[in-house]
Amino acid sequence: MNDLEKVIDGIDLGLPAPLEEPERQYYFIKKGREYVTARSKELGRDLTCSIQTFGCQMNARDSEKLLGILTEVGFADNGEDEKSDFVIFNTCTVRDNADQRVYGRLGILNGYKKKNPAMKIGLCGCMMQEQHVVDKIKKSYPFVNLVFGTHNIFKYAELFYEMLQSERQIVDIWEGTDQIVEDLPT
C-alpha cells in the first residue's frame, strides 16, 4: 500500500469534508470509491471510463490527472466511449476545428447515452472557460452531466462525486484562481 492509499484509507467519512486541499479531494475520492464499489457490485462488473484529449500537451497532462483520480475511485480505463460508464472530453479552444470536433463527438455520445441512460458524460478544459461554449452546452447538450474549466481541475474528485449524486447538470467554471494543489493522483 502506497502513502496515498494509506492517507485515503485513513479518512473518516463520518466527519464533514475537510476544508484544506488536497485532503478535501482525498475525502471525495474515498466517497467516490464507496459509490463505485457498490455500483460495480450491483452490475457484477467493473465500471469503465474513457478520456479523450483534444488539444495541447497541457491538456494531455491534465488528462493524466483526471485518469489518476478515476483510477483511484475504482474505474477501469477501457478507452472506448461507446462502452464506458463515464466519458470525459478534455478540450482545447485554440482552433475552431477542435471545437467542432468536440461538438460532433458529443452528438455521437448522445446516441450512446440513449442506448445506455446510466452513462455519465463530462467536459472540461479551456474550451469550457468560454461563456458562449458553456451556454451552448447547457442549451444544446443537456445530456452532459459535468462541465468544469481549467482553473478548478484540482476539484475534480469533488465535482465528480457531486455528479454521481445528482440528476442535474453540474457546471462549475471559475474565472481564475490562486490555488495550486499538488499531490493529487496521476
Side-chain angles (χ1 to χ4, degrees), residues 32-158:
R33 269 188 198 167
E34 283 189 342
Y35 174 91
V36 169
T37 299
R39 184 77 174 130
S40 293
K41 188 174 181 179
E42 180 183 315
L43 294 173
R45 63 172 176 80
D46 290 340
L47 293 184
T48 58
C49 66
S50 175
I51 296 178
Q52 303 297 322
T53 305
F54 298 84
C56 63
Q57 290 177 333
M58 185 65 126
N59 283 66
R61 178 71 176 130
D62 286 347
S63 290
E64 289 175 2
K65 292 176 186 176
L66 299 173
L67 182 57
I69 290 169
L70 286 171
T71 302
E72 284 293 332
V73 169
F75 277 80
D77 179 15
N78 70 1
E80 299 180 63
D81 294 351
E82 183 175 10
K83 297 178 182 176
S84 293
D85 297 292
F86 179 63
V87 177
I88 186 162
F89 289 168
N90 186 2
T91 64
C92 182
T93 192
V94 173
R95 295 193 175 110
D96 186 57
N97 184 41
D99 289 10
Q100 296 312 313
R101 282 184 30 224
V102 169
Y103 293 133
R105 298 283 305 186
L106 283 174
I108 294 168
L109 282 182
N110 190 26
Y112 297 159
K113 191 162 181 167
K114 286 179 180 172
K115 292 179 195 171
N116 176 13
M119 174 189 271
K120 300 287 188 181
I121 299 169
L123 295 172
C124 66
C126 53
M127 189 175 155
M128 299 307 114
Q129 288 297 136
E130 297 187 13
Q131 187 60 50
H132 73 277
V133 170
V134 175
D135 293 343
K136 182 172 183 170
I137 299 297
K138 287 178 180 177
K139 181 179 178 189
S140 301
Y141 303 94
F143 58 89
V144 172
N145 304 93
L146 175 62
V147 179
F148 62 100
T150 57
H151 301 299
N152 59 338
I153 193 167
F154 71 90
K155 273 187 63 179
Y156 178 55
E158 184 173 350

Side-chain angles (χ1 to χ4, degrees), residues 11-19 23-24 27-28 31:
I11 292 172
D12 182 351
L13 295 179
L15 298 174
L19 299 176
E23 291 79 12
R24 184 174 180 83
Y27 178 90
F28 285 103
K31 285 188 80 70

Side-chain angles (χ1 to χ4, degrees), residues 145-182:
N145 304 93
L146 175 62
V147 179
F148 62 100
T150 57
H151 301 299
N152 59 338
I153 193 167
F154 71 90
K155 273 187 63 179
Y156 178 55
E158 184 173 350
L159 294 170
F160 182 76
Y161 182 75
E162 185 179 348
M163 175 199 70
L164 292 175
Q165 300 302 307
S166 180
E167 292 299 317
R168 65 180 177 82
Q169 188 177 64
I170 306 297
V171 178
D172 194 12
I173 308 294
W174 295 6
E175 290 298 318
T177 186
D178 59 358
Q179 286 188 283
I180 297 174
V181 179
E182 301 292 337

